């Protein structure tokens, strides 16, 4: 195993409840998410667009974002089944961002999730439109396909998703990232890029899950701190894997950051300090869940384990 920072495969996560089996949890949640994703794109016209949307949405991937959403909902005392449409919406936003990120006008990549990128198979125009359709379908999932969730909670979810997807989130982070290509950037700018490009959506995952459960503001705040830690750690690990893992294992082109002359954590801090920083961020993230643990010790286990998973992953 070429884990980026630490292994999470066998050891129970620190602080998790006795007997919690993370691998079984992950496998069960992943299977539920895969089936909900499949059902989210039923036959419809035009079939060509549906095929391109399904090609990327159902291409595998770790499904970290929907699983975070379901776990946060459960931790906040909600029924994760009610959060599934939002979990699907988050994966749709993530997938559309990958499709657009891979386009010739952006990263110009050929490989994603172990397969040719969407535009390589369907052409640029359809890839752009498949991304657009996934983004809009995401909002449809929340607004029109979330039975059993009070309307005011759904409105809060829509608000969070719209902020996170647009200029204050993914799009803003992507623009600064593109503007910085080939330039040396400082740690503060690098953090800005990652908190927006990657961290914002991970934050939305836990916040929307908690909103659906009806969590109060102080618990949402704890989850915000958790998400900031795992969001930055996730990206540090991504930077590390870009230089330490192979394209085969990653399912996307390795070494892209070097080729594009991007500033990365390993470039700024070196590999070892990057690993240490990722570990420290994950410990901070886990500590922020203390607010939940006295009342819900077992329910905190998935988010504790997911924090470890973020740095233990090898792809
Ligand atoms: C959201 C409106 C809107 C536009 C998108 C292109 C763009 C604007 C943003 C780029 C966002 C991006 C691609 C960030 C990188 C995030 C990242 C580290 C992705 C890899 O995530 P994993 O490892 O992938 O979870 P899998 O395949 O496992 O899901």
């Amino acid at each position: 195993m070429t884990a980026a920072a630490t292994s999470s495969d066998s050891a129970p996560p620190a602080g998790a409840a006795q007997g919690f089996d993370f691998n079984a949890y992950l496998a069960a949640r992943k299977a539920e998410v895969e089936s909900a994703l499949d059902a989210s794109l039923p036959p419809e016209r035009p079939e060509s667009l549906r095929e391109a949307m399904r090609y990327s949405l159902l291409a595998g991937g770790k499904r970290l974002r929907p699983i975070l959403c379901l776990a946060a909902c459960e931790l906040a005392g909600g029924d994760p089944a009610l959060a599934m449409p939002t979990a699907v919406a988050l994966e749709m936003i993530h997938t559309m961002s990958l499709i657009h990120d891979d386009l010739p006008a952006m990263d110009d990549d050929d490989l994603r999730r172990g397969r040719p990128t969407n535009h390589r198979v369907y052409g640029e125009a359809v890839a752009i439109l498949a991304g657009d359709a996934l983004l809009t379908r995401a909002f449809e999932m929340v607004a029109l396909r979330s039975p059993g969730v009070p309307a005011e909670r759904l409105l809060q979810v829509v608000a969070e998703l719209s902020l996170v997807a647009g200029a204050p989130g993914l799009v803003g982070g992507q623009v600064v990232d593109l503007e910085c290509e080939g330039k040396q950037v400082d740690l503060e700018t690098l953090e800005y890029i990652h908190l927006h490009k990657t961290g914002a959506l991970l934050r939305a995952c836990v916040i929307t899950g908690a909103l659906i459960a009806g969590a109060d503001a102080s618990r949402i705040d704890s989850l915000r701190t958790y998400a900031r830690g795992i969001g930055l750690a996730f990206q540090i690990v991504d930077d590390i894997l870009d230089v330490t893992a192979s394209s085969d294992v990653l399912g996307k082109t390795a070494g892209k950051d070097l080729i594009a002359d991007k500033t990365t954590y390993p470039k700024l801090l070196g590999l070892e300090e990057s690993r240490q920083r990722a570990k420290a961020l994950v410990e901070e993230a886990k500590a922020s869940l203390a607010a939940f643990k006295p009342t819900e010790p077992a329910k905190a286990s998935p988010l504790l384990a997911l924090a470890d998973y973020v740095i233990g992953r090898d792809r």
Side-chain angles (χ1 to χ4, degrees), residues 7 12 17 57 67 101 148 178 217 256 271 296 306:
S7 170
L57 190 69
I67 294 173
D101 190 53
L178 291 172
K256 280 285 283 191
L271 270 178
E296 308 286 1
L306 283 160

Side-chain angles (χ1 to χ4, degrees), residues 44-55:
E44 66 181 322
R45 288 178 68 189
E47 175 52 32
S48 53
L49 176 64
R50 173 180 179 252
E51 190 190 314
M53 292 162 78
R54 288 178 69 86
Y55 176 81

Side-chain angles (χ1 to χ4, degrees), residues 61-62 65 94 96-97 101 113 165 171 174 197 234 238:
K62 295 179 286 296
R65 290 154 191 83
H94 171 54
M96 79 73 60
S97 81
D101 190 53
R113 291 177 163 170
V171 175
Q174 178 77 347
K197 218 183 124 166
F234 185 92
D238 225 59

Side-chain angles (χ1 to χ4, degrees), residues 9-23:
D9 267 7
S10 48
Q18 201 70 32
F20 175 68
D21 182 343
F22 180 55
N23 288 333

Side-chain angles (χ1 to χ4, degrees), residues 61-65 91 93-94 96-98 100-101 106 112-113 135 165 170-171 174 197-198 234-235 238 252 313 315:
K62 295 179 286 296
R63 309 311 193 190
L64 174 64
R65 290 154 191 83
E91 187 66 23
I93 295 174
H94 171 54
M96 79 73 60
S97 81
L98 300 179
H100 282 198
D101 190 53
M106 300 206 208
R112 174 68 71 176
R113 291 177 163 170
L135 178 65
L170 270 83
V171 175
Q174 178 77 347
K197 218 183 124 166
T198 306
F234 185 92
Q235 189 57 55
D238 225 59
K252 61 182 179 181
R313 69 199 174 98
R315 68 192 67 205

